[in-house]
Amino acid sequence: MKKLVHVYYSGGVQGVGFRFTARHIAEELGLGGWVKNLDDGRVEIYAEGDEGALNDFLAQINSAFSRYIKNKQVNWEPALGKFRDFSVKFY
């Protein structure tokens, strides 16, 4: 089943390769969406795809950046069907 997950990560998540690693993982799992840094120091992710792949994505992000992530806010939403690829947004 297709879903969309909207996540905010906080902690020391900027300047550690978070966005580009997230894009790499998302591309390998066939997910669409985007990742971007926020002015307040958080990283925001919208990712859409198969629910199992999204769970893998979140697990790999958590594993790769566990020492940098202090908090995360995860919201599951219905899939929008508008993402064809996964990109890094630069504001």
Side-chain angles (χ1 to χ4, degrees), residues 4-68:
L4 179 124
V5 66
H6 182 199
V7 188
Y8 291 98
Y9 291 98
S10 61
V13 292
Q14 292 190 12
V16 293
F18 195 105
R19 292 174 298 158
F20 297 96
T21 301
R23 182 181 65 189
H24 176 74
I25 295 168
E27 288 174 343
E28 290 209 337
L29 293 171
L31 301 176
W34 50 261
V35 58
K36 71 176 181 178
N37 284 346
L38 299 176
D39 289 339
D40 63 7
R42 295 180 299 161
V43 172
E44 180 180 18
I45 294 178
Y46 265 99
E48 183 176 73
D50 178 73
E51 188 173 1
L54 290 169
N55 283 318
D56 278 352
F57 174 71
L58 296 176
Q60 288 186 50
I61 292 288
N62 290 336
S63 176
F65 294 100
S66 62
R67 68 181 170 260
Y68 301 107

Side-chain angles (χ1 to χ4, degrees), residues 75-87:
N75 298 303
W76 291 90
E77 303 172 12
L80 300 174
K82 69 177 190 176
F83 300 112
R84 293 182 180 220
D85 59 4
F86 197 93
S87 63

